[in-house]
Amino acid sequence: MNSNDHIMFTELITKYLCGDATPAEALALDDWLADPENARQFRQIRQLWDQLPGNAAPPVPDAQQAWEALNAQLPPAGKPARLLTLRYRWLAAAAILLLLLPLWWFLKPSPVQPPANSIAYTATTGAGEIKPVTIPDGTAITLHHNSTITYSTGFNQLDRAVQLRGEAYFDVTHNTQLPFTISIADLTIQVVGTSFNVRDITPSGNIEVQVLSGMVKMFTSTQAIMVPKDHTGIYDVQKRSLYLAGTIDVNSVSYATKSFQFNDLTVQEACQYLEKAFNIQFQFDQPSLAGCRLSARFDNRTLPYILNILNATLNTNSRRQGNLITLSGKGCE
Amino acid sequence: MILTWQPQNTASGVCNTIKAYTPVEAHYQQCFHAYFEKLFGYAWSIVNDEAEAKDIVQTAFLKLWEKRSDINVHGATRAYLYTTVYHLSLNTVRNRKARDQHQAGIAARYVSPPVQTAEDKELRERIHQAIDTLPPRCREVFCKSRLEGKKYAAIAEELTISIKTVEVQMGKALRLLREQLADLVILYIVSLFTGAI
């Protein structure tokens, strides 16, 4: 910052602190403060300012509380126009049904078509089952075990809304006009086109969204966050709050991507990822084996191939009985 | 409020797809979280009262809600909110019945600060000394603003100078005080940050 700018912004800051800034000046200051260095300088000035006679430090308000207070004042059905069109749509649907009624009687009665928002499609996986599913808009979903995905009639025409229970990996087809939404508890996840993993069965009881490409928006009725590539969005169901973590665990979505990146992991950690992806169980005949460290990368490899590499690296043998794989070897120091 | 993505007017054929699916309500909420603190800070700088500043920001957002389908461009929303907060704040100050009381409050903070430690006393003396060393014109403007609680426009009128001159003198006062009290500033960095505006 040159000295002219410096003088200008000191004047602007002073005017702002005096409560004399016009909206345009407050906006200009706000823009200027987007720079962290400027924000730091402003904090310093503010600290001095608050010490000067006639001044007091401003209270720090609770945004969440303020939002709740505001939300309570908003009209509950703040969309009269939409309600109207919705009612007309039902009227139209009712009219069509009335018109079709004689025809329906005439033809042999068959099961009635489901109403517009009933569930049209459900895919479920049981224990140990991993199922790839492609839905009408071309989106590829890999369902992890004990998971369910549902969507309604009108999918890909009226909306692209699905409901999820459990865990699934999504590779969403790009369509800016119909955003893809996933509802899970009271959380909504919205995307345009991207790939990411959602699970609501984390050990901590949170809902996690791991974004592998593109950008995902997570929101509830009180909060919203954007989750960029290589980040994890976390919804704390207990506290009903959303936050962002700066990393993703690529190996936790290997059941769908079939890609593993083991960077100096213990054998135990690596095996846990393999267990999740291939629905198998590992057991070590020497407990010390679990603590060995290993680095490896596999893209789209079969389980026997991966086991071969592991055995060669760790100097172990593996035996498979059903879903149980026993690793035997000397272990590490 | 339930945030869902309801298509609009699909039956009547007036469907403007992009607009129909624009998540206005979600955007509204995002705006709130993005600007609440800044707008509160701005309102507070004018009204110097927590409850009033909160009311002002809330009213501004309620006004925005009524206009939510017209204003959904990022820049426009922000400008609208700042302008609304500004006018509401000025109205609040104008209508304030207890205005004199507020002035007395400022004076009280200056004349008889609450129970002081020896350090506080020393600090205050340092600050007063620093104010005393300001150039006369600069000090006059500064004192009228801070001790008498006058607005820039009122000071300009009283001293028959331009508002720009008031701005320059006030900026200069703060800059000189910062230089004089540099060690205090450093001291306060160590203490808790008060956060952004």
Side-chain angles (χ1 to χ4, degrees):
Chain A
M1 187 167 59
N2 66 43
S3 69
N4 265 343
D5 276 358
H6 192 279
I7 289 174
M8 204 183 96
F9 276 102
T10 313
E11 281 166 17
L12 184 56
I13 289 168
T14 319
K15 203 175 176 194
Y16 175 90
L17 291 172
C18 284
D20 261 300
T22 63
E25 285 165 337
L27 278 165
L29 181 64
D30 196 18
D31 285 338
W32 186 76
L33 290 174
D35 182 309
E37 168 56 25
N38 294 342
R40 197 183 58 82
Q41 286 216 24
F42 178 80
R43 279 199 297 269
Q44 283 187 19
I45 293 176
R46 162 133 252 168
Q47 276 145 19
L48 172 67
W49 180 260
D50 294 342
Q51 296 302 317
L52 297 178
N55 301 336
V60 183
D62 182 344
Q64 192 56 40
Q65 218 172 48
W67 166 254
E68 275 153 24
L70 173 66
N71 203 12
Q73 291 213 27
L74 296 175
K79 304 166 235 177
R82 286 184 187 188
L83 281 178
L84 208 63
T85 55
L86 203 65
R87 201 177 304 147
Y88 281 136
R89 201 143 14 101
W90 281 107
L91 273 175
I96 289 165
L97 273 177
L98 276 173
L99 285 171
L100 290 177
L101 212 58
L103 196 67
W104 179 64
W105 278 113
F106 185 70
L107 298 167
K108 186 144 178 77
S110 55
V112 193
Q113 283 295 303
N117 59 351
S118 76
I119 289 162
Y121 179 86
T122 302
T124 304
T125 50
E129 196 184 355
I130 291 168
K131 192 198 272 179
V133 181
T134 305
I135 54 175
D137 68 331
T139 292
I141 302 171
T142 309
L143 272 182
H144 201 242
H145 32 250
N146 294 326
S147 301
T148 304
I149 189 113
T150 56
Y151 59 82
S152 313
T153 46
F155 181 86
N156 207 28
Q157 284 152 23
L158 302 176
D159 61 19
R160 292 201 293 160
V162 301
Q163 291 82 45
L164 171 72
R165 266 188 22 232
E167 174 167 8
Y169 178 87
F170 293 83
D171 199 344
V172 175
T173 303
H174 190 79
N175 182 349
T176 45
Q177 304 211 330
L178 282 188
F180 191 92
T181 63
I182 301 160
S183 306
I184 184 164
D186 60 338
L187 173 75
T188 308
I189 298 153
Q190 192 208 341
V191 288
V192 176
T194 186
S195 52
F196 59 95
N197 189 67
V198 180
R199 57 173 166 170
D200 76 344
I201 42 171
T202 62
S204 48
N206 295 335
I207 298 174
E208 282 185 12
V209 179
Q210 297 174 305
V211 180
L212 282 82
S213 72
M215 175 90 91
V216 170
K217 178 168 153 186
M218 293 170 76
F219 61 91
T220 64
S221 56
T222 53
Q223 208 190 343
I225 59 167
M226 300 300 287
V227 188
K229 181 176 181 289
D230 292 333
H231 284 65
T232 302
I234 299 161
Y235 180 57
D236 186 325
V237 183
Q238 296 294 314
K239 294 185 189 150
R240 299 167 67 87
S241 67
L242 285 162
Y243 55 97
L244 195 64
T247 53
I248 55 169
D249 183 356
V250 287
N251 295 317
S252 72
V253 296
S254 301
Y255 72 91
T257 60
K258 296 289 175 240
S259 157
F260 296 89
Q261 288 173 35
F262 298 151
N263 297 322
D264 193 29
L265 295 185
T266 63
V267 169
Q268 180 153 31
E269 287 167 327
C271 286
Q272 277 165 0
Y273 288 127
L274 292 172
E275 283 175 348
K276 181 179 171 188
F278 292 106
N279 184 36
I280 45 171
Q281 289 287 318
F282 276 95
Q283 112 182 353
F284 308 115
D285 67 354
Q286 291 291 328
S288 66
L289 205 56
C292 297
R293 303 195 80 85
L294 113 121
S295 291
R297 193 192 160 108
F298 305 105
D299 281 314
N300 226 352
R301 295 294 184 180
T302 61
L303 180 60
Y305 178 94
I306 294 172
L307 287 174
N308 275 343
I309 302 286
L310 284 191
N311 288 331
T313 319
L314 302 165
N315 197 19
T316 51
N317 286 310
S318 61
R319 236 178 24 256
R320 179 165 183 171
Q321 288 172 300
N323 282 343
L324 183 70
I325 292 175
T326 311
L327 275 188
S328 46
K330 275 191 191 155
C332 311
E333 294 302 301
Chain B
M1 185 173 60
I2 301 158
L3 300 174
T4 48
W5 317 90
Q6 289 283 1
Q8 272 183 322
N9 298 331
T10 40
S12 55
V14 206
C15 176
N16 172 351
T17 336
I18 294 174
K19 197 159 188 197
Y21 286 94
T22 301
V24 181
E25 284 78 19
H27 177 73
Y28 176 79
Q29 197 187 348
Q30 269 191 322
C31 281
F32 182 86
H33 286 285
Y35 302 135
F36 171 75
E37 267 186 47
K38 294 185 172 106
L39 290 167
F40 174 85
Y42 183 39
W44 193 88
S45 77
I46 301 172
V47 301
N48 274 277
D49 181 279
E50 184 176 0
E52 279 173 343
K54 271 188 186 161
D55 278 353
I56 286 165
V57 178
Q58 180 162 331
T59 309
F61 272 100
L62 283 172
K63 281 174 183 273
L64 178 68
W65 175 261
E66 287 157 19
K67 294 185 164 27
R68 70 195 182 284
S69 52
D70 305 331
I71 313 173
N72 52 12
V73 186
H74 171 81
T77 309
R78 193 166 159 245
Y80 175 81
L81 286 169
Y82 271 88
T83 311
T84 309
V85 163
Y86 176 70
H87 290 298
L88 291 171
S89 301
L90 291 190
N91 285 346
T92 304
V93 172
R94 207 173 292 134
N95 299 338
R96 193 180 273 154
K97 298 231 162 57
R99 185 176 167 82
D100 295 339
Q101 216 180 326
H102 168 73
Q103 291 287 347
I106 285 185
R109 273 208 293 272
Y110 176 51
V111 177
S112 60
V115 188
Q116 289 183 340
T117 63
E119 277 167 1
D120 278 347
K121 225 175 219 167
E122 198 187 311
L123 181 68
R124 274 178 197 282
E125 267 165 29
R126 285 274 322 268
I127 291 171
H128 286 172
Q129 276 167 14
I131 294 172
D132 284 342
T133 59
L134 292 175
R137 192 60 158 182
C138 187
R139 196 178 66 211
E140 189 179 12
V141 171
F142 182 82
C143 290
K144 280 200 185 300
S145 167
R146 296 297 82 207
L147 306 186
E148 297 170 31
K150 289 194 170 118
K151 292 272 153 200
Y152 278 26
I155 300 169
E157 199 181 325
E158 199 180 319
L159 301 176
T160 54
I161 52 176
S162 69
I163 292 184
K164 183 68 205 158
T165 310
V166 179
E167 283 175 22
V168 171
Q169 294 295 345
M170 285 298 291
K172 192 172 161 188
L174 185 59
R175 222 167 42 249
L176 291 172
L177 289 175
R178 246 190 120 188
E179 279 166 22
Q180 289 234 20
L181 303 167
D183 54 325
L184 291 187
V185 175
I186 290 164
L187 191 76
Y188 286 111
I189 296 167
V190 182
S191 73
L192 255 185
F193 280 167
T194 48
I197 53 175

